Amino acid sequence: GGGGGPPPGGGGGPPKGGPPERTAVQKALDTLFELAFKVLYATEPDLRLDSYKNLQVLWVRALLASSGQLDDPVAYQLLPPASRWLVSPAVAPLWAPVLPKLEWIAQRTSFLDSTLDAWIDGLKASGGSPAEAQVVLLGAGYDTRALRYSGDQAPAFYEVDLPVVTRAKGVLSSRYAAATGVRQPAMLPLDLMTCASGAPALEALAPLGLDRSRPTLVIFEAVLFYLSPPAKAALLREAAALLAEGHPASELALTDNLAPFLRSADRKDADDYFGGSLGLQLRQHETLWGGAIQFARAGAKSGE
């Protein structure tokens, strides 16, 4: 989901103690990527409407998978057949010098996948069925998780993102589903910035089938970067309310920026934020870049 990192400027501004400003070389590479994608997707008008940042992350995921640093066989299949050889296993070694710069995408994917795996295992251990569970991906971008975890006994997946993103993602998902028979996620086109003015995101998924009484995992992956503090706070509160009022196995997992509410790498500060502001129990916590990126897993407090 989301982009490859914090946008220059944008909602809420860069967090204190966060990653350094993008260098001139990195900005030049961004421009090069954008020009390249105009060529690679010249015959794909629906995809060219979408943010090149989402396309860039999809290509990065495919490259990391080809390099053995990420378990994601789907990303490569979503790329244009005529040009995806550029990030194929045979060519991947040529990209070795840039792989360290892409590490955080592999880290966040690994954290969320392992959290999802552990959550599913927990449901099974308690006698529940993963097929009765639900996963919500907020700001899903071109995330492949719904397609990778598809199956008869897999949770139902719901994705929320901007209308232009869900439209383009729907094109790719439909093609992949037609070729493989996997189940597609339900998609809600929604600008999450509207949460600042009271527009619900999770509640808006009910007409698509989301049932708050079922075990639900709500995932934030590099999406809060792009939201204003009021929108960020409202969305987090809505997710916390679902956990508090819904199934006791429901949880929240995020790999995201929580500034200005939480900038610290200290576990106590994280406990105070999740336990105080959100009323949740923090169950797992890691950080990157001095607390600019929070990796967290949380659920409703015991007895609630």
Side-chain angles (χ1 to χ4, degrees):
K16 281 186 179 179
E21 291 292 325
R22 296 184 68 75
T23 65
V25 172
Q26 290 172 321
K27 292 177 181 178
L29 286 174
D30 286 342
T31 301
L32 182 60
F33 269 118
E34 184 171 338
L35 293 173
F37 289 139
K38 287 181 179 179
V39 175
L40 294 173
Y41 291 91
T43 60
E44 299 276 6
D46 288 328
L47 299 184
R48 281 188 287 122
L49 286 172
D50 187 20
S51 163
Y52 289 109
K53 178 65 74 174
N54 282 319
L55 290 175
Q56 184 176 334
V57 173
L58 182 63
W59 280 79
V60 167
R61 289 185 187 280
L63 174 60
L64 289 170
S66 292
S67 303
Q69 298 189 24
L70 198 65
D71 183 14
D72 186 349
V74 175
Y76 186 82
Q77 298 301 319
L78 298 184
L79 302 180
S83 54
R84 61 191 180 199
W85 62 269
L86 290 167
V87 291
S88 66
V91 177
L94 299 178
W95 293 94
V98 305
L99 292 181
K101 301 292 186 182
L102 309 175
E103 187 178 21
W104 112 270
I105 294 180
Q107 289 172 316
R108 78 194 200 198
T109 302
S110 176
F111 180 87
L112 292 174
D113 282 357
S114 63
T115 297
L116 176 54
D117 290 338
W119 183 70
I120 290 174
D121 288 344
L123 293 176
K124 292 178 180 177
S126 62
S129 169
E132 296 299 315
Q134 307 165 129
V135 177
V136 178
L137 303 170
L138 294 168
Y142 289 168
D143 189 293
T144 61
R145 206 163 273 113
L147 301 176
R148 288 189 284 118
Y149 280 81
S150 180
D152 292 340
Q153 294 303 307
F157 278 79
Y158 297 84
E159 297 187 350
V160 183
D161 213 319
L162 293 166
V164 68
V165 177
T166 56
R167 185 162 64 249
K169 174 71 173 295
V171 172
L172 294 177
S173 293
S174 296
R175 291 176 185 170
Y176 185 79
T180 62
V182 303
R183 181 175 56 182
Q184 295 186 70
M187 295 184 184
L188 173 67
L190 178 69
D191 183 351
L192 293 173
M193 283 289 284
T194 61
C195 294
S197 57
L202 298 174
E203 183 180 325
L205 287 168
L208 298 182
L210 187 75
D211 184 345
R212 300 170 72 92
S213 68
R214 293 185 177 187
T216 305
L217 179 64
V218 182
I219 293 178
F220 298 79
E221 182 177 2
V223 58
L224 298 177
F225 280 119
Y226 299 90
L227 302 184
S228 67
K232 187 182 297 191
L235 191 57
L236 287 165
R237 284 196 302 268
E238 187 184 5
L242 183 148
L243 269 57
E245 301 164 5
H247 195 281
S250 292
E251 292 190 3
L252 172 156
L254 62 82
T255 54
D256 225 314
N257 166 253
L258 293 178
F261 314 113
L262 177 63
R263 291 187 169 110
S264 172
D266 190 271
R267 171 64 185 250
K268 182 181 183 303
D269 292 334
D271 281 328
D272 288 345
Y273 172 69
F274 279 89
S277 298
L278 298 180
L280 299 176
Q281 179 184 21
L282 185 60
R283 296 172 179 169
Q284 187 174 351
H285 180 246
E286 302 169 19
T287 65
L288 291 177
W289 302 325
I293 308 297
Q294 303 283 329
F295 285 21
R297 178 182 180 184
K301 292 183 179 180
S302 299
E304 295 187 9

